[in-house]
Amino acid sequence: MSTSVVCEANGVGGRMSWGERWGFVRGDKRQIQTAVLGGADSEEPLMLLLEAIELDAFRRRHEHDTFRCGLLLGGCGLPLMTKLYTDRVCHFAHHPGPDGHPHLCGRRARGVNSADHLYVKSAAAAWLHGRGEQARFDFAQPDGAPIGSVVDIQLRRGGPRVHLNQAVMPEWDADSEPVLGMSVPVDRDVLIRRWYVHRIRLDSESTARRVRIGTEAFARPTEWFGLDECEMTERGLSTSAVERIIRARSTPPSSRWPAGKAKKVPDAQARAQALLRRLAGARRFESVVAVKRICDDIAALAGTNQRTQAQLAAALDDANH
């Protein structure tokens, strides 16, 4: 049976128990990698560095800080200490109970991603503030889902719902725009119908987690961006990949026919219906350039019957108002 040297720091009021509890411990499986700074209901997350060589500096930096098993992490709210190991990862741990037995905590999520919802809120709030926007945040728990499964970002008009795991199924026809964590599947038909979806991942950087936004489309690799490279538009969260996808879907594809081989040209009626569908798609995504181009194509179209001409005229009138 393996053992390891462990020393503890209580993280409460700066009272460090260096040397007070040196000894050998048997396997401690309560590997809590995240905590909050301050009170039990704090929203300031902290991730513990995993290597012993890093933990010494971590303890010095947070000598006067209090670590807690935060309520918003699904924890008990009680103080945590840090444990330093030489043969396995370092982690937070609860103080023993008054009887000396281990403290029993019902917290389920304990890994490095267990505070990701707090990191998402912090990053999104700072990003929106830098753009003159304010939002309300909610860690909703529909149908008893674990806290941290979703983060609702409520803007003046709609806003994203971030799904960090599979506990809550995305609602594609709701007012909120689903943003999917890496483990959340998306149906092929959804990708085709919506043109694209957004994903989110968090990368560990020292004691923090950095938010990255990905744009995924059918038959395209997911492209990743920092939050400062994203924008919030009338149609929702947007990246440069979104703009390229919209342009590609709003522009007729180049000819794939080899030189010298004639391609059958669709009749005016079929072309009119295709233009109407493209116009509806471009207006849905509020692509002004695409709408203007399609309107010009409609205006130049000839050879349709009276009923189709009326449809085209109504679509042009609606697009210009």
Side-chain angles (χ1 to χ4, degrees):
M1 180 178 296
S2 64
T3 58
S4 61
V5 178
V6 55
C7 65
E8 303 174 353
N10 62 15
V12 180
R15 298 192 305 274
M16 308 293 286
S17 57
W18 291 93
E20 292 177 3
R21 302 191 60 174
W22 288 95
F24 291 94
V25 296
R26 298 183 185 276
D28 182 356
K29 297 181 180 180
R30 298 170 295 150
Q31 296 188 356
I32 301 173
Q33 300 301 153
T34 60
V36 295
L37 287 174
D41 58 354
S42 168
E43 296 185 1
E44 187 175 354
L46 190 69
M47 183 182 71
L48 188 66
L49 298 165
L50 302 181
E51 300 295 332
I53 194 171
E54 300 173 304
L55 186 54
D56 285 342
F58 175 89
R59 284 172 164 174
R60 289 192 297 270
R61 186 163 60 252
H62 294 283
E63 181 178 0
H64 301 292
D65 291 330
T66 300
F67 314 132
R68 287 186 181 271
C69 185
L71 299 177
L72 289 175
L73 301 178
C76 59
L78 293 179
L80 296 173
M81 56 186 169
T82 58
K83 284 197 169 184
L84 184 150
Y85 291 92
T86 59
D87 65 345
R88 50 195 165 114
V89 298
C90 305
H91 58 86
F92 291 109
H94 291 89
H95 294 272
D99 56 2
H101 293 297
H103 171 73
L104 298 179
C105 174
R107 178 176 169 183
R108 289 186 284 177
R110 303 185 174 200
V112 294
N113 62 349
S114 57
D116 279 357
H117 54 299
L118 299 183
Y119 284 114
V120 168
K121 176 180 178 179
S122 176
W127 174 66
L128 289 168
H129 179 75
R131 285 158 175 73
E133 294 274 357
Q134 289 186 332
R136 292 179 59 247
F137 295 82
D138 183 27
F139 303 126
Q141 296 179 264
D143 300 322
I147 191 167
S149 297
V150 296
V151 182
D152 285 328
I153 304 175
Q154 300 164 8
L155 303 170
R156 285 172 295 180
R157 292 179 58 186
R161 164 170 274 195
V162 180
H163 294 258
L164 291 171
N165 56 43
Q166 300 182 43
V168 180
M169 292 296 295
E171 296 181 20
W172 296 108
D173 297 319
D175 292 336
S176 58
E177 175 189 8
V179 178
L180 309 181
M182 296 299 292
S183 66
V184 182
V186 60
D187 188 81
R188 172 179 178 271
D189 292 338
V190 171
L191 277 178
I192 294 173
R193 175 168 60 89
R194 292 181 61 89
W195 294 10
Y196 64 88
V197 300
H198 286 304
R199 289 201 174 271
I200 187 170
R201 79 171 195 240
L202 287 90
D203 299 332
S204 298
E205 293 186 8
S206 185
T207 59
R209 301 270 283 168
R210 187 73 60 193
V211 172
R212 302 278 290 174
I213 298 296
T215 300
E216 178 181 356
F218 180 68
R220 287 173 177 255
T222 302
E223 296 185 55
W224 291 97
F225 305 89
L227 263 181
D228 57 350
E229 299 175 281
C230 304
E231 296 294 337
M232 187 60 70
T233 67
E234 290 297 321
R235 65 173 174 263
L237 189 61
S238 185
T239 65
S240 59
V242 169
E243 299 301 325
R244 289 194 297 273
I245 291 167
I246 291 174
R247 285 197 300 270
R249 294 293 296 265
S250 304
T251 304
S254 58
S255 175
R256 297 179 183 176
W257 293 89
K261 184 174 181 179
K263 179 183 176 182
K264 184 179 179 181
V265 178
D267 62 30
Q269 295 296 123
R271 179 160 169 73
Q273 295 305 315
L275 286 170
L276 288 172
R277 288 193 296 271
R278 285 173 50 204
L279 180 60
R283 293 189 64 197
R284 174 188 169 200
F285 289 97
E286 300 181 358
S287 178
V288 176
V289 174
V291 168
K292 184 179 184 306
R293 184 187 302 118
I294 297 169
C295 285
D296 290 343
D297 290 343
I298 290 175
L301 184 64
T304 58
N305 61 33
Q306 189 173 1
R307 180 180 177 184
T308 302
Q309 288 175 10
Q311 289 180 319
L312 295 173
L316 284 175
D317 184 65
D318 195 30
N320 290 323
H321 288 85

